[in-house]
Amino acid sequence: IVLVEEGKVLMQQRLKEPFYGHWGVPSGKIKFNQFILEAAKTEFFEETGFFADLEIKGLYCAKTFCKEQQLFNHQIYIIRAKNPRGNLLTITREGKNEWINIAELKNLKIFPDTPKLIEIVMQDRFTILEEELVLENDVFTSEKTLNETRF
């Protein structure tokens, strides 16, 4: 769930495994009884303390490999958040939340999809992006875009 305001993006540093210490946008899982935006609303509030207007902007699919063995297969709905209401939770059991200047993201240990997710939510089109990632010693060392379709 991507919230961008005045050149800054709301980021969360993970405080649990896997990917402890990596920075990304707030996220969560869809429960069996939830629709996409229903789950996004619940997760966004639980992880940030914000309610917001939400819109589905795309789908990001990534297979992550380590030493040629597939570790993860993530299917991520890309959600844009606008008009946040509430009080930002600076820390939760999931992670630490901070507003980060978009230009400073390159200085953080971020998930490789983060800049792409930000770009996608700022566009007027729906995007499907499929990638393969390589993880070595807790560091993403390469990414390869296999498909990018915009509607």
Side-chain angles (χ1 to χ4, degrees), residues 64-76:
T64 303
F65 296 86
C66 179
K67 298 178 183 172
E68 298 185 22
Q69 178 182 358
Q70 185 174 337
L71 301 177
F72 301 100
N73 183 355
H74 288 101
Q75 310 298 311
I76 300 170

Side-chain angles (χ1 to χ4, degrees), residues 40 42 57 61 69:
T42 300
K57 297 295 292 181
C61 308
Q69 178 182 358

Side-chain angles (χ1 to χ4, degrees), residues 2-145:
V2 183
L3 174 58
V4 176
E5 288 199 333
E6 299 175 12
K8 293 184 178 184
V9 61
L10 182 58
M11 297 287 291
Q12 185 176 82
Q13 185 180 33
R14 284 184 64 91
L15 297 178
K16 65 180 190 175
E17 294 293 349
F19 309 116
Y20 185 94
H22 281 80
W23 287 85
V25 294
S27 63
K29 294 180 177 73
I30 300 173
K31 293 178 181 66
F32 180 76
N33 65 340
Q34 292 179 313
F35 289 114
I36 298 165
L37 291 177
E38 183 181 16
K41 176 183 175 182
T42 300
E43 291 291 337
F44 195 60
F45 179 74
E46 287 175 359
E47 294 195 18
T48 69
F50 283 145
F51 289 103
D53 301 329
L54 304 175
E55 176 186 10
I56 302 170
K57 297 295 292 181
L59 179 62
Y60 177 78
C61 308
K63 293 180 182 179
T64 303
F65 296 86
C66 179
K67 298 178 183 172
E68 298 185 22
Q69 178 182 358
Q70 185 174 337
L71 301 177
F72 301 100
N73 183 355
H74 288 101
Q75 310 298 311
I76 300 170
Y77 292 100
I78 305 166
I79 310 291
R80 180 177 186 179
K82 292 195 281 188
N83 305 316
R85 300 169 296 283
N87 297 308
L88 180 64
L89 301 172
T90 55
I91 193 162
T92 70
R93 68 179 190 86
E94 303 290 334
K96 179 175 72 169
N97 297 313
E98 285 186 31
W99 288 100
I100 305 289
N101 187 305
I102 293 173
E104 295 173 8
L105 289 178
K106 63 184 177 290
N107 300 326
L108 299 175
K109 184 178 181 180
I110 62 171
F111 289 104
D113 63 345
T114 302
K116 296 168 190 169
L117 300 180
I118 294 168
E119 179 184 329
I120 288 168
V121 301
M122 301 309 290
Q123 297 174 1
D124 289 330
R125 297 193 253 169
F126 187 91
T127 301
I128 298 174
L129 181 61
E130 295 177 308
E131 294 190 321
E132 286 184 350
L133 309 173
V134 175
L135 184 66
E136 296 176 9
N137 299 320
D138 199 40
V139 175
F140 289 96
T141 57
S142 72
E143 57 189 290
K144 178 180 177 184
T145 298

